[in-house]
Amino acid sequence: MASTAPFVLVAASLLLAMTQVATAAGTGVTVTIDNFTFSPADLTIMPGTTVTWVNNDDIPHAVVETNKAFRSKALDTDDKFSFTFNTAGEFSYFCSLHPHMTGKITVKPGAN
Ligand SMILES: [Cu+2]
């Protein structure tokens, strides 16, 4: 079935592109807060990556890790909060002002 090959190729390169964005080492990744939602809500990064949350909503939000690994102040519109993840693991977080807002950062074990 040669006709399925182009679709498989597109799907594979799309997957590769997504993976590269999410796992770039030693760089910065942005999580936007918009309409009471963290985006992306589920993010996988390499150790050493700095994640910056940006509040695009017109009401305050705060980013708090479940086990207190990090905690932002209340972020007004356009305020930012950054945290550098140096250790592998899973970090679940929520908005302390709206606890139904949740997200997760997964830090992969280092390649070295
Ligand atoms: Cu909030």
Side-chain angles (χ1 to χ4, degrees):
M1 288 292 275
S3 60
T4 60
F7 172 76
V8 171
L9 200 64
V10 168
S13 47
L14 195 67
L15 204 65
L16 188 66
M18 288 165 62
T19 305
Q20 283 171 338
V21 168
T23 60
T27 56
V29 180
T30 299
V31 174
T32 58
I33 307 171
D34 215 343
N35 196 24
F36 294 88
T37 306
F38 295 109
S39 179
D42 201 333
L43 180 65
T44 300
I45 57 173
M46 298 297 284
T49 303
T50 298
V51 177
T52 300
W53 285 263
V54 182
N55 184 10
N56 289 337
D57 254 341
D58 50 12
I59 56 156
H61 295 291
V63 184
V64 180
E65 205 273 337
T66 307
N67 297 310
K68 302 189 177 80
F70 55 85
R71 178 186 197 106
S72 79
K73 66 180 179 64
L75 304 174
D76 288 322
T77 304
D78 294 332
D79 276 357
K80 297 182 170 109
F81 170 73
S82 293
F83 185 81
T84 301
F85 293 82
N86 290 316
T87 51
E90 288 196 350
F91 300 87
S92 294
Y93 62 90
F94 60 98
C95 172
S96 58
L97 304 173
H98 316 98
H100 63 279
M101 295 173 58
T102 60
K104 187 175 82 172
I105 308 286
T106 302
V107 184
K108 290 185 164 187
N112 45 351

